[in-house]
């Protein structure tokens, strides 16, 4: 797909959004948000009701499995974050992101939380040797965290 | 060669402005006649490690990680900051101190419109093509039913090549959604380095539930400077039954377009191959055996433009009980080149008691081709934590292992964690 086609697709989608706004179906109610103060337990941020409840006007909670990120969630969490990072903040503080996403790395995330191996944090153990192999398998996965930031340690060898 | 510089000046500006806003926020609250309680959170985690590198240099770094949060729900304001400081007791010839202010920002959402959120300071922006840390401002507003806009601008926080003069970043994302069914967004990002166009990216992102139990999401991003697509990355998840979930994914990346603005030489065209392309696709299946026990089978195929292909497959099992976690994984990488042939295995367990927590984590890799006459690497970690009280805990962690770089290595880490969660009660008169 060429750049022009990409641009036209963007314009088309924008127009689609506008139409969606104008002709929004009444049955699809707007997501309501409540004040954290009125909630029965302490919330970090303003939540979207349907993240936890079956519907906007229902106190019924979704089954616990809905909140349990599946084993592949680490690889797909960026999709959720890029569209609705406010949902993440309902349960996670901003520092949860900076455990891994940081400009300068102090301790590796897996070193900070050594007592929580069930979190499958990246680069467990002494990762120095294995990183050469992983880097050749998928350099784009390295680039997301170390391409433009968090690479001061890398420069010691990659001058 | 990339020259790194510390950027300490913006820290003072940030800290100054943000602490000022916090002070104003508090002063405002003191001037009120009635007492108010403001949720507050503070945490401190201190780590002291001991280890030796492959050249025999010894290190004893002390890290202090802090986190501060203060809320004023009545006027929609929140202050948040997190960062760390380091001092190395044992290093000689290298810099002993280091620090990073990861986050320091004020969030404001007017009580009259909770769909409008402003952020100012050092914070993250995750909006379509943007996955950035900036010193600046951002706003997100669902200005109409199912339609919204995000805007951001400031100075990028990343490895500094040549000072921060005339470095800027700005962008936006326009999105529309069908509530609970789909969301699509168009995003734009522009970054200038020393006043010169450094990055310009355009993206289309999508999330949809076209049918009950099926979820599709992904992004295509375009590099407007090199004139090519950085990546197409899409995944689809299907809940086949209450116990079985399938996920398929597809990623295609062009190295020339993806790595055009790296600050690390290893991603330069000379090292990575300017015509390199990678296509990664695969499938995973998760089966919930019973409450708390799940197993996952996974397969990923890698296709490269300039080197042989590779396949990665394996299985993972994990158990989550009320006070115990346990799990393991077995994976095989089977590449066309000898370097990409190895077997990986991992076992772990965590036991949480009233005052004590224990964990063991064992990882081993068996390389088909020996490196430095070694083809088996492993790492064993044991951690014991003692919970002193609701706010304070201490732990000791020991790593023991070997790999082709180290015949044997040992790393010891002591840590102390303090957490305060409560409310600042401000009682003041006229």
């Amino acid at each position: 797909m060429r750049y022009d086609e990409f641009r036209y697709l963007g314009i088309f989608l924008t127009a689609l959004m506008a139409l969606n706004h104008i002709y929004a179906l009444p049955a699809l109610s707007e997501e309501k948000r409540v004040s954290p103060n009125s909630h029965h337990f302490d919330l970090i941020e303003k939540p979207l009701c349907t993240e936890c409840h079956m519907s906007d006007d229902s106190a019924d909670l979704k089954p616990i499995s809905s909140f349990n990120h599946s084993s592949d969630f680490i690889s797909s969490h960026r999709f959720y974050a890029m569209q609705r990072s406010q949902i993440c903040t309902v349960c996670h503080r901003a520092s949860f992101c900076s455990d891994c996403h940081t400009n300068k790395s102090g301790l590796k995330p897996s070193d900070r939380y050594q007592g929580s191996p069930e979190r499958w944090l990246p680069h467990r153990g002494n990762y120095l040797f294995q990183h050469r192999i992983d880097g050749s398998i998928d350099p784009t996965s390295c680039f997301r965290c170390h391409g433009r930031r968090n690479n001061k340690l890398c420069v010691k060898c990659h001058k | 060669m990339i020259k790194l510089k510390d950027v300490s000046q913006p820290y003072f500006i940030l800290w100054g402005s943000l602490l000022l806003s916090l002070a104003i926020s508090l002063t405002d609250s003191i001037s009120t006649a009635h007492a108010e309680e403001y949720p507050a959170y503070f945490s401190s985690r201190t780590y002291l490690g001991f280890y030796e590198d492959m050249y025999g240099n010894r290190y004893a770094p002390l890290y202090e990680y802090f986190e501060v949060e203060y809320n004023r729900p009545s006027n929609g304001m929140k202050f948040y900051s997190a960062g760390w400081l380091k001092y190395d007791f044992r290093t000689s010839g290298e810099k002993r101190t280091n620090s990073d202010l990861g986050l320091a920002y004020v969030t404001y959402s007017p009580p009259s419109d909770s769909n409008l959120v402003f952020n100012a300071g050092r914070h993250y922006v995750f909006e379509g093509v943007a996955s950035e840390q900036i010193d600046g401002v951002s706003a997100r507003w669902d200005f109409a039913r199912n339609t919204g806009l995000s805007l951001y601008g400031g100075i990028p926080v990343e490895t500094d090549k040549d000072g921060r003069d005339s470095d800027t970043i700005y962008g936006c994302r326009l999105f529309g959604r069908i509530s609970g069914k789909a969301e699509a967004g168009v995003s734009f990002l522009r970054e200038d380095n020393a006043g010169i166009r450094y990055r310009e990216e355009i993206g289309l992102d999508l999330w949809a539930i076209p049918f009950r139990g099926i979820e599709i999401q992904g992004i295509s991003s375009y590099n407007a400077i090199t004139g090519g697509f950085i990546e197409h990355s899409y995944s689809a998840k299907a809940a086949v039954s209450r116990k079985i979930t399938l996920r398929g994914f597809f990623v295609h990346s062009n190295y020339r377009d993806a790595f055009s603005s790296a600050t690390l030489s290893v991603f330069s065209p000379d090292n990575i191959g300017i015509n390199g392309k990678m296509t990664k696709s695969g499938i995973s299946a998760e089966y919930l055996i019973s409450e708390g026990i799940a197993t996952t089978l996974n397969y990923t195929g890698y296709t490269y433009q300039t080197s042989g292909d590779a396949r990665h497959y394996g299985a993972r099992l994990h158990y989550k009980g009320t006070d115990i976690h346990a799990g393991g994984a077995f994976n095989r990488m089977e590449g066309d080149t000898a370097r990409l042939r190895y077997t990986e295995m991992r076992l772990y367990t965590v036991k949480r008691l009233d005052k004590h927590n224990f964990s063991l984590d064992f990882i081993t890799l068996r390389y088909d081709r020996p490196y430095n006459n070694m083809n088996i690497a492993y790492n064993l970690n044991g951690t014991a934590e003692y919970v002193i009280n609701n706010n304070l805990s201490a732990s000791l962690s020991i790593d023991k292992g070997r790999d082709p770089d180290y015949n044997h290595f040992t790393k010891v880490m002591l840590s102390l964690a303090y957490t305060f969660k409560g409310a600042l009660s401000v009682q003041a008169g006229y």
Side-chain angles (χ1 to χ4, degrees):
Chain A
M1 190 157 52
R2 307 300 307 163
Y3 175 61
D4 285 344
E5 292 170 298
F6 191 77
R7 193 172 57 183
Y8 293 139
L9 187 59
I11 293 167
F12 172 74
L13 279 173
T14 308
L16 207 62
M17 288 173 202
L19 282 172
N20 175 47
H21 164 55
I22 295 165
Y23 296 105
L25 296 173
L28 300 172
S29 63
E30 189 177 5
E31 285 161 328
K32 296 170 192 168
R33 300 174 187 192
V34 298
S35 163
N37 290 336
S38 63
H39 204 262
H40 71 287
F41 68 87
D42 187 24
L43 293 167
I44 298 169
E45 285 282 346
K46 292 167 186 166
L48 301 174
C49 308
T50 49
E51 268 302 289
C52 301
H53 296 276
M54 298 296 280
S55 67
D56 283 347
D57 54 356
S58 166
D60 294 337
L61 285 171
K62 288 179 178 176
I64 195 71
S65 56
S66 303
F67 312 108
N68 186 13
H69 300 315
S70 58
S71 59
D72 64 8
F73 188 78
I74 291 174
S75 58
S76 61
H77 79 280
R78 71 184 184 116
F79 296 120
Y80 297 100
M82 75 171 71
Q83 288 194 326
R84 293 188 179 192
S85 54
Q86 79 270 28
I87 287 177
C88 310
T89 60
V90 172
C91 298
H92 300 289
R93 294 179 190 282
S95 65
F96 188 81
C97 306
S98 58
D99 283 346
C100 297
H101 301 278
T102 177
N103 179 42
K104 279 201 240 174
S105 61
L107 285 166
K108 285 190 303 180
S110 53
D111 282 349
R112 284 191 66 193
Y113 302 103
Q114 285 177 315
S116 301
E118 76 280 7
R119 287 180 64 179
W120 293 84
L121 291 165
H123 311 340
R124 287 197 81 81
N126 187 10
Y127 187 67
L128 189 63
F129 179 77
Q130 183 62 22
H131 94 279
R132 299 168 202 165
I133 295 171
D134 288 353
S136 63
I137 293 168
D138 185 2
T140 60
S141 67
C142 307
F143 185 84
R144 286 195 193 108
C145 294
H146 303 289
R148 280 184 288 269
R149 62 185 76 87
N150 194 3
N151 52 25
K152 207 167 181 177
L153 194 63
C154 314
V155 176
K156 281 186 175 178
C157 298
H158 301 289
K159 295 187 186 300
Chain B
M1 187 178 123
I2 293 162
K3 188 179 175 186
L4 297 170
K5 289 182 185 175
D6 279 335
V7 282
S8 53
Q9 193 183 358
Y11 288 7
F12 292 111
I13 297 168
L14 266 174
W15 274 111
S17 60
L18 292 171
L19 290 174
L20 184 65
S21 60
L22 178 64
I24 291 168
S25 184
L26 276 170
T27 309
D28 181 31
S29 66
I30 288 168
S31 69
T32 57
H34 58 285
E36 268 191 72
E37 288 205 331
Y38 307 116
Y41 176 89
F42 171 78
S43 86
S44 157
R45 294 180 79 98
T46 308
Y47 303 85
L48 178 60
F50 302 92
Y51 66 96
E52 192 175 303
D53 68 15
M54 68 175 82
Y55 306 110
N57 299 315
R58 291 181 175 180
Y59 300 87
L62 176 78
Y63 287 92
E64 166 59 28
Y65 282 78
F66 69 89
E67 197 180 339
V68 182
E69 185 180 314
Y70 161 78
N71 283 290
R72 277 201 72 189
S74 56
N75 69 359
M77 281 194 73
K78 184 182 89 172
F79 170 80
Y80 183 88
S81 182
W84 56 265
L85 306 159
K86 175 192 170 187
Y87 182 83
D88 199 322
F89 289 103
R90 301 282 288 275
T91 307
S92 57
E94 285 192 31
K95 194 177 161 189
R96 282 177 177 270
T97 58
N98 205 350
S99 64
D100 186 36
L101 181 65
L103 296 159
Y105 64 95
V106 173
T107 294
Y108 172 68
S109 181
S112 58
D113 186 358
S114 60
N115 291 322
L116 178 60
V117 179
F118 293 101
N119 296 297
R122 174 164 294 186
H123 63 290
Y124 290 116
V125 175
F126 298 114
E127 295 290 347
V129 288
S131 175
E132 313 297 323
Q133 201 175 1
I134 66 168
D135 288 340
V137 293
S138 69
R140 182 185 170 105
W141 187 28
D142 290 17
F143 59 83
R145 189 182 217 185
N146 295 327
T147 311
L149 176 69
S150 301
L151 296 167
Y152 56 90
I155 301 169
V157 179
E158 55 193 23
T159 304
D160 188 27
K161 295 188 295 185
D162 43 19
R164 302 181 97 199
D165 289 344
S166 302
D167 287 3
T168 56
I169 188 167
Y170 57 88
C172 63
R173 177 172 175 263
L174 178 68
F175 59 92
R177 73 169 72 99
I178 301 168
S179 185
K181 293 283 183 188
E183 179 170 326
V186 186
S187 55
F188 170 80
L189 179 150
R190 163 84 182 243
E191 181 179 336
D192 287 4
N193 181 52
I196 297 167
R197 189 169 74 144
Y198 182 56
R199 291 169 66 198
E200 194 170 309
E201 298 175 10
I202 302 161
L204 280 176
D205 57 80
L206 173 74
W207 171 84
I209 299 183
F211 309 104
R212 187 180 173 85
I214 293 182
E215 183 180 24
I216 297 168
Q217 55 193 179
I219 185 168
S220 289
S221 53
Y222 181 83
N223 188 330
I225 296 177
T226 58
F229 278 95
I230 296 167
E231 70 165 352
H232 301 286
S233 182
Y234 292 88
S235 79
K237 193 159 75 174
V240 178
S241 69
R242 203 182 68 82
K243 292 197 165 193
I244 300 173
T245 305
L246 299 177
R247 178 175 175 260
F249 61 92
F250 171 85
V251 180
H252 179 75
S253 298
N254 296 314
Y255 293 172
R256 182 180 71 109
D257 307 302
F259 304 140
S260 67
S261 55
T263 61
L264 189 62
S265 63
V266 72
F267 295 109
S268 73
D270 292 340
N271 287 315
I272 208 98
I274 194 163
N275 294 317
K277 290 179 183 178
M278 184 199 70
T279 301
K280 181 169 76 172
S281 56
I283 189 164
S284 67
E286 183 172 278
Y287 176 59
L288 188 66
I289 298 168
S290 66
E291 191 63 38
I293 305 177
T295 185
T296 309
L297 302 174
N298 60 78
Y299 174 86
T300 304
Y302 297 87
T303 306
Y304 304 100
Q305 174 88 358
T306 53
S307 58
D309 297 346
R311 297 150 296 282
H312 183 264
Y313 50 88
R316 181 188 289 193
L317 179 72
H318 58 96
Y319 167 70
K320 184 182 175 185
T322 50
D323 58 0
I324 191 167
H325 290 271
F330 181 88
N331 286 291
R332 171 74 186 164
M333 170 58 85
E334 191 72 50
D336 288 351
T337 57
R339 191 181 192 189
L340 299 186
R341 284 190 212 125
Y342 61 88
T343 305
E344 182 183 28
M345 194 178 78
R346 182 174 182 208
L347 292 168
Y348 69 83
T349 183
V350 183
K351 177 72 178 170
R352 302 197 195 284
L353 301 170
D354 183 34
K355 288 275 184 185
H356 302 85
N357 300 321
F358 300 98
S359 71
L360 279 174
D361 187 12
F362 178 71
I363 302 168
T364 182
L365 286 134
R366 186 187 183 283
Y367 302 104
D368 286 16
R369 188 182 79 178
Y371 296 90
N372 296 338
N373 297 317
M374 188 184 289
N375 66 344
I376 293 179
Y378 74 88
N379 189 89
L380 175 65
N381 173 268
T383 300
E385 183 185 29
Y386 177 63
V387 180
I388 299 164
N389 59 40
N390 286 340
N391 303 106
L392 194 63
S393 66
S395 68
L396 168 68
S397 186
I398 299 174
D399 274 284
K400 188 86 182 161
R402 72 168 194 171
D403 65 28
D405 285 335
Y406 293 82
N407 276 330
H408 291 283
F409 64 84
T410 305
K411 191 159 82 174
V412 178
M413 181 86 78
L414 293 164
S415 72
L416 191 68
Y418 173 79
T419 303
F420 167 81
K421 189 176 181 182
L424 293 177
S425 182
V426 179
Q427 177 74 57
Y430 293 101

